[in-house]
Amino acid sequence: MTNLFTSFSFKGLELKNRVVMPPMCQYSVENKDGIANDWHYNHYVSRAIGGASLIIIEMTDVDPDGRISDYDLGIWSDEQIPALARIVDACHAHGAKVGIQIAHAGRKAEDAEVPVSSSPIAFDEKSKMPKELSTEEVKEMVVKFRQGVERALKAGVDVIELHGAHGYLIHQFHSPLTNKRNDEYGQNRTRFGMEIIEAAKSVMPENMPLIFRISATEYAEGGYTVEDSVEFAKKYQKAGVDIFHVSSGGEGPLSATRRPENHAGYQVPLARIYKKTLDVPVIAVGNLEDAAVANAVIGNEDADLVAVGRGMLRNPYWAIEAAAQLKKETPVPKQYAAAFPK
């Protein structure tokens, strides 16, 4: 039976287990230049030592004004490549594969003097009013995403993830709450995402999977449902998405009637729907730090991979600890073998 510590392969991506470290912003670029530093190196490499099979580097932005804050990672300059490559090489040395989440925060760029978005609609009353991107600026943004992917490939990553969730720029375009445009990107709200996907695939190796992180449902009043998102996800799949990383929300203030319950595995039903409807590998995420729950997600075939966020923030060695709890075989660094007797 498949379990959390069964290997996984898809196209050219081969993973030793089903445990993924999802992208989690560290807000730690003290020089504000978008370049990864020693904090990022230690943060990611320790999780590779700790047994995660796939580490997805946090939201890394294609434009200086595309950062949530000026302390975020960037991928708009070749100067940012070497520090990322150092992290990738070290993670590889400890048996982990590495992805990176390519993104733009859009209207949620807190430190941008004037953030940009699909339409001039602020996130909330405390947020800056964004400028609507012109049609030509949208096309230029697609190029910035492609260039970001090219830089990530030069850094040696094994997989690319595009951030289409949590109310950031791609999400802003495919949501009816935030896209009120009249041009081609409003007439077809998935056009922007599809063009970015196609641009990414045009420079990626043929055997490298493309992951797309998606908010499968929205929680704001009038937001789209999982049934709606599956329909536009089909367009993204046709454009080239290989794996969906299924999350939810982030588009705006929570509705009283649609507010989620944050119990263990609360987003797993969304991943299950994507997996069965689209017949595509999926990553489940959301309060899955209990090893037994994470293992059940795989054993019940609700998802192909499990992302453990807060659990790995608390414990870099979550994966080998989970294997010990579940009595599953997984490689343990020889320096730590005494703590994990067989």
Side-chain angles (χ1 to χ4, degrees):
M1 295 292 291
T2 303
N3 62 70
L4 194 59
F5 291 92
T6 303
S7 61
F8 173 82
S9 64
F10 185 81
K11 288 192 167 182
L13 181 67
E14 297 185 0
L15 305 178
K16 62 186 178 183
N17 59 48
R18 307 296 179 106
V19 180
V20 177
M21 180 186 182
M24 294 175 285
C25 290
Q26 297 296 291
Y27 306 111
S28 295
V29 183
E30 299 299 333
N31 292 334
K32 300 185 180 181
D33 55 9
I35 297 175
N37 54 35
D38 284 347
W39 172 264
H40 301 92
Y41 180 89
N42 293 324
H43 174 63
Y44 291 112
V45 177
S46 62
R47 275 70 185 177
I49 294 170
S53 67
L54 174 62
I55 292 166
I56 306 178
I57 293 173
E58 66 202 80
M59 180 171 170
T60 305
D61 301 293
V62 301
D63 187 271
D65 284 340
R67 294 173 287 179
I68 302 171
S69 84
D70 287 348
Y71 296 95
D72 289 354
L73 290 179
I75 200 154
W76 65 81
S77 167
D78 287 352
E79 294 178 357
Q80 293 154 343
I81 297 173
L84 291 172
R86 176 174 174 248
I87 292 170
V88 173
D89 289 346
C91 289
H92 284 166
H94 294 288
K97 300 299 174 65
V98 183
I100 189 169
Q101 187 182 73
I102 307 296
H104 190 292
R107 69 176 186 168
K108 296 178 82 172
E110 297 171 3
D111 290 339
E113 184 175 349
V114 181
V116 299
S117 186
S118 51
S119 298
I121 303 170
F123 179 73
D124 58 25
E125 64 276 4
K126 297 179 181 179
S127 302
K128 297 174 185 175
M129 180 63 67
K131 169 188 174 293
E132 179 176 307
L133 290 164
S134 69
T135 303
E136 186 57 38
E137 287 171 332
V138 175
K139 296 182 185 299
E140 291 171 358
M141 190 66 71
V142 173
V143 174
K144 290 181 180 181
F145 270 87
R146 176 181 58 75
Q147 292 171 338
V149 171
E150 288 178 315
R151 293 187 180 101
L153 296 175
K154 289 178 181 177
V157 300
D158 303 286
V159 65
I160 298 290
E161 176 170 292
L162 297 175
H163 201 349
H166 301 162
Y168 298 118
L169 190 60
I170 296 175
H171 186 167
Q172 289 162 34
F173 270 82
H174 69 228
S175 173
L177 297 174
T178 45
N179 186 346
K180 306 295 184 181
R181 303 173 67 92
N182 295 315
D183 67 355
E184 61 199 275
Y185 295 100
Q187 294 162 6
N188 177 359
R189 292 196 304 270
T190 59
R191 185 182 182 100
F192 179 56
M194 290 169 61
E195 288 186 358
I196 290 173
I197 292 162
E198 291 166 352
K201 295 290 278 194
S202 74
V203 296
M204 290 170 60
E206 189 173 343
N207 68 339
M208 179 182 287
L210 176 65
I211 303 172
F212 191 93
R213 195 169 208 192
I214 193 164
S215 285
T217 190
E218 295 185 316
Y219 299 123
E221 197 66 45
Y224 63 72
T225 66
V226 65
E227 291 79 14
D228 297 325
S229 76
V230 164
E231 290 306 309
F232 64 71
K234 290 177 181 177
K235 296 181 180 179
Y236 291 154
Q237 185 181 21
K238 186 175 181 180
V241 172
D242 297 295
I243 299 171
F244 282 98
H245 191 168
V246 186
S247 189
S248 61
E251 73 289 339
L254 297 176
S255 162
T257 59
R258 302 185 66 177
R259 184 182 298 269
E261 296 290 340
N262 290 326
H263 52 263
Y266 73 102
Q267 295 180 130
V268 172
L270 301 172
R272 182 189 308 126
I273 290 169
Y274 265 66
K275 180 174 174 60
K276 292 184 177 180
T277 305
L278 301 178
D279 191 25
V280 65
V282 300
I283 305 172
V285 66
N287 287 2
L288 293 173
E289 59 205 61
D290 184 296
V293 173
N295 191 51
V297 170
I298 300 300
N300 291 331
E301 299 183 348
D302 290 326
D304 301 272
L305 300 165
V306 169
V308 179
R310 291 178 180 86
M312 283 200 194
L313 289 182
R314 286 197 296 273
N315 180 6
Y317 312 109
W318 186 92
I320 53 177
E321 187 75 44
Q325 291 176 23
L326 297 169
K327 299 184 176 4
K328 305 295 184 184
E329 289 290 330
T330 196
V332 175
K334 63 182 182 180
Q335 296 87 343
Y336 299 160
F340 297 91
K342 294 183 179 181

